[in-house]
Amino acid sequence: MEARSPRPGRTAVLAAVGAHVPSIVVTNDDLAARLDTSDEWITSRTGIRTRHVAEPGRSTSDLAIAAGTAALRAAGPDASIDTVVLATSTPDRLVPATAPAVAAGLGLAGVAAFDVDAVCSGFVYGLAVANGLIAAGTARQVLLIGADTFSAIVDPADRTTAPLFGDGAGAVVLRAGEAGEPGALLAVELGSDGALADLITVRDGWFAMQGQAVYRQAVTRMAGAARDVLARTGWQPEDVDAFVSHQANLRILRAVGADLGIDAERVHANVTDVGNTVAASIPLALAHAHAAGRLRAGDRVLLSAFGGGTTWGAATLVWPELS
Ligand code: UT7
């Protein structure tokens, strides 16, 4: 599926980013103290050194509100959000959706608010949804948040999954604008294959993943979606200044970059510090790269993701001047 808006004043344009990670930091040595694992194994297989875990009593909505607050502050006093989209697969409750509570918590009660669940691809799916709402004229300013608390569903005694995930939230403000503006979403590609639903799932209350099969799928699908979106945008891999993909595993990021012909310096990685934060992964990576001065106005940015479903997606934009 593809999403693109040719109509003037009806393209989603990035206007602000914000992020939040909880204060509790879990190191590889902390995990090795209670699991049959080691810093050496985790670092060499995943690149992850630390991950953040939600404080007791805090849930996905709390993290989402914190990231949303940061993005709204960055957007400035003139921001006028009419829609809140929350990408998550760890909602506070099965019913109702978490986005209305997030909107209310941000002082935005009354706006449209709903959840999108595409697991680790949720943020890219959310971008396409926000772009579609803006293209249709239904929304003018969307607050898109990716937030997950996988600490609630990852078995702390399972060494095959516990080291991989961290909690967090990232948010962007998307406003209606022109297709040629910096920050305009240039193209989005989405896909899924439900025949592989069992690769990433929750069984008996705990997250379960077929690691090696997911690894292979992640590399193939992220590279494929990236290639498709580059072709639709009219960019070659060498045109990309920053490749900000879903932060699943440092080896996966590098393998996708190598497959595409994007060298390691252009592959942004914060998985080392935060682990796999699922739907929060790409907006957290964008916010961290922006804060670190690693994304500059005019940079051609490529996003790609793969996750449970299975689902995948990719998007392109030129980085705008942001506060
Ligand atoms: O966001 C999308 C979802 N997630 C991903 O994209 C993750 C995709 N998969 C991966 O990143 C990798 O497959 C993992 C990091 C999960 C695993 O790395 P791997 O190189 O594929 O290792 P493996 O599963 O083949 O396991 C190798 C060995 C096994 O032992 P045996 O059977 O060879 O004796 C595992 O039992 O490593 C063992 N092992 C561990 N050893 C120490 C598995 N987890 C650990 C651990 N510490 N934490």
Side-chain angles (χ1 to χ4, degrees):
M1 199 192 101
E2 56 189 44
R4 198 172 217 181
S5 168
R7 281 181 283 184
R10 288 200 176 173
T11 294
V13 176
L14 182 68
V17 295
H20 174 76
V21 287
S23 60
I24 300 173
V25 177
V26 176
T27 66
N28 291 346
D29 286 338
D30 293 337
L31 291 172
R34 61 178 172 79
L35 289 173
D36 182 15
T37 189
S38 63
D39 176 46
E40 197 282 327
W41 192 97
I42 299 170
T43 306
S44 64
R45 300 287 178 131
T46 72
I48 300 166
R49 294 182 184 277
T50 58
R51 69 287 292 148
H52 296 247
V53 174
E55 300 84 353
R58 288 186 91 212
S59 62
T60 294
S61 62
D62 298 303
L63 274 49
I65 289 168
T69 301
L72 292 177
R73 194 178 302 128
D78 295 339
S80 176
I81 303 297
D82 52 41
T83 306
V84 173
V85 180
L86 176 66
T88 188
S89 50
T90 47
D92 287 7
R93 294 185 276 176
L94 203 51
V95 175
T98 302
V102 171
L106 289 166
L108 295 170
V111 305
F114 59 96
D115 294 359
V116 168
D117 182 359
V119 199
C120 296
S121 311
F123 181 78
V124 177
Y125 268 70
L127 279 178
V129 168
N131 195 42
L133 288 170
I134 287 171
T138 308
R140 300 286 303 166
Q141 267 192 41
V142 180
L143 176 63
L144 169 62
I145 307 173
D148 269 302
T149 44
F150 259 45
S151 61
I153 59 169
V154 167
D155 180 354
D158 181 358
R159 71 174 184 168
T160 69
T161 55
L164 306 178
F165 294 92
D167 299 336
V172 296
V173 172
L174 299 160
R175 62 169 174 81
E178 304 296 332
E181 286 185 67
L185 208 57
L186 298 174
V188 186
E189 291 282 335
L190 304 175
S192 79
D193 183 1
L196 299 178
D198 286 342
L199 290 190
I200 297 171
T201 186
V202 171
R203 269 187 220 109
D204 303 324
W206 294 122
F207 178 84
M209 180 177 72
Q210 296 176 34
Q212 288 193 358
V214 170
Y215 188 104
R216 287 192 296 272
Q217 283 290 318
V219 174
T220 306
R221 292 302 190 184
M222 284 207 280
R227 250 185 217 102
D228 290 346
V229 89
L230 287 176
R232 279 174 37 71
T233 309
W235 292 351
Q236 301 297 321
E238 54 268 30
D239 296 328
V240 174
D241 296 304
F243 178 39
V244 185
S245 86
H246 168 54
Q247 305 281 310
N249 175 327
L250 196 57
R251 286 158 60 210
I252 293 178
L253 306 191
R254 291 191 174 148
V256 176
D259 194 288
L260 292 170
I262 297 175
D263 48 78
E265 294 82 70
R266 293 182 285 151
V267 177
H268 182 75
N270 69 339
V271 64
T272 315
D273 304 325
V274 299
N276 180 348
T277 58
V278 194
S281 181
I282 288 178
L284 255 184
L286 288 174
H288 286 168
H290 174 62
R294 290 197 52 205
L295 283 172
R296 304 219 173 81
D299 279 357
R300 283 158 297 195
V301 180
L302 169 67
L303 314 177
S304 80
F306 173 82
T310 55
T311 56
W312 57 87
T316 48
L317 73 156
V318 173
W319 197 252
E321 190 78 54
L322 293 183
S323 60

